[in-house]
């Protein structure tokens, strides 16, 4: 993807999945590419498993941190229903959905007031180019379930025209030193998943 053109990315999931950290790494990587970057985040009730969404925009010049509905190039979702919740942001044509292959029932489903959509993967496919990522399984292989966010970010990185050193430098800037090596491994595993 051309770096000078404004790229719009929504990152979404539920509280505690590392969405804000992933968006911070993405923003830092874009800064390292000397791009103008804007970010906005909403995380009401995030610590109770509520919905979390960040808007990340970068390019030669970005004027607003918010993305209009129907203008998102990529949805990076940490849970399938959260991807579905924000599909109205995705471009009608050429929009890409990268989603963790995980279902977390919301409270309305847990109390029996609603049901989790049985055919949600099929519904996601109808909206854009879908990449279902086995991020949980890959994180278990790395023996650290907290790396799911960085594995997903690694998959997203394969669509962007950033240098590897920009990503690795961003990871070093945003993550405690003792976890940097683990997260670089998770990021590289995410990149490899797209190529498999």
């Amino acid at each position: 993807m051309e770096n000078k053109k404004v790229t719009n990315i929504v990152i979404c999931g539920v509280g505690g999945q590392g969405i804000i950290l992933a968006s911070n790494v993405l923003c830092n990587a874009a800064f390292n590419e000397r791009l103008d970057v804007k970010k906005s985040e909403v995380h009401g009730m995030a610590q109770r498993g509520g919905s979390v969404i960040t808007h990340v925009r970068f390019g030669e010049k970005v004027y607003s941190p918010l993305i209009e509905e129907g203008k998102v190039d990529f949805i990076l979702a940490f849970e399938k229903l959260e991807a579905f919740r924000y599909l109205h942001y995705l471009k009608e044509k050429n929009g890409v959905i990268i989603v963790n292959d995980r279902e977390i029932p919301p409270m309305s489903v847990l109390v029996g007031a609603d049901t989790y959509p049985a055919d949600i993967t099929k519904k996601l496919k109808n909206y854009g180019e879908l990449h279902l990522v086995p991020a949980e399984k890959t994180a278990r292989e790395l023996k650290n379930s907290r790396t799911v966010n960085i594995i997903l970010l690694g998959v997203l990185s394969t669509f962007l025209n950033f240098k590897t050193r920009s990503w690795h430098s961003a990871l070093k800037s945003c993550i405690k030193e003792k976890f940097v090596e683990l997260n670089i491994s998770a990021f590289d595993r995410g990149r490899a998943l797209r190529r498999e």
Side-chain angles (χ1 to χ4, degrees):
M1 181 162 270
E2 174 65 41
N3 281 346
K4 289 186 177 181
K5 177 183 164 283
V6 174
T7 299
N8 298 315
I9 300 174
V10 159
I11 303 177
C12 58
V14 297
Q17 291 189 297
I19 295 154
I20 304 300
L21 175 61
S23 64
N24 288 343
V25 173
L26 174 58
C27 288
N28 268 272
F31 278 127
N32 292 339
E33 292 287 325
R34 300 181 185 274
L35 297 171
D36 190 20
V37 183
K38 300 278 189 297
K39 180 181 90 164
S40 175
E41 56 191 58
V42 175
H43 41 91
M45 302 297 282
Q47 291 184 355
R48 296 184 182 196
S51 185
V52 178
I53 179 173
T54 64
H55 291 201
V56 177
R57 308 184 74 207
F58 56 83
E60 189 170 28
K61 184 65 187 165
V62 178
Y63 294 98
S64 169
L66 297 175
I67 308 170
E68 290 179 50
E69 293 181 8
K71 301 289 185 184
V72 162
D73 299 291
F74 300 95
I75 291 178
L76 181 65
F78 291 31
E79 196 276 332
K80 292 180 190 173
L81 195 56
E82 292 302 313
F84 192 72
R85 183 190 308 267
Y86 295 110
L87 282 177
H88 58 283
Y89 280 103
L90 195 66
K91 286 179 173 177
E92 269 190 44
K93 295 182 179 175
N94 305 320
V96 176
I97 307 163
I98 301 165
V99 63
N100 185 14
D101 189 12
R102 181 169 185 198
E103 297 174 1
I104 301 174
M107 187 55 71
S108 62
V109 172
L110 293 174
V111 298
D114 214 339
T115 57
Y116 196 97
D119 55 349
I120 194 161
T121 301
K122 183 179 174 187
K123 288 178 178 176
L124 290 171
K125 279 183 186 170
N126 290 338
Y127 279 86
E129 180 185 325
L130 178 65
H131 296 269
L132 200 58
V133 180
E136 305 284 333
K137 177 177 175 272
T138 305
R140 282 194 300 274
E141 290 168 2
L142 289 169
K143 302 187 183 339
N144 192 315
S145 62
R146 298 184 75 181
T147 58
V148 166
N149 57 344
I150 302 302
I151 291 166
L152 289 165
L153 196 59
V155 175
L156 173 68
S157 75
T158 63
F159 291 90
L160 305 175
N161 192 23
F162 292 1
K163 297 172 193 74
T164 301
R165 69 173 179 261
S166 294
W167 287 106
H168 287 186
S169 177
L171 288 164
K172 289 173 185 170
S173 295
C174 298
I175 292 172
K176 288 182 183 174
E177 188 176 341
K178 66 181 179 180
F179 299 116
V180 165
E181 195 170 312
L182 169 67
N183 280 277
I184 287 176
S185 295
F187 180 81
D188 292 342
R189 289 291 296 273
R191 291 179 67 86
L193 284 174
R194 167 91 195 286
R195 298 186 186 107
E196 289 175 357

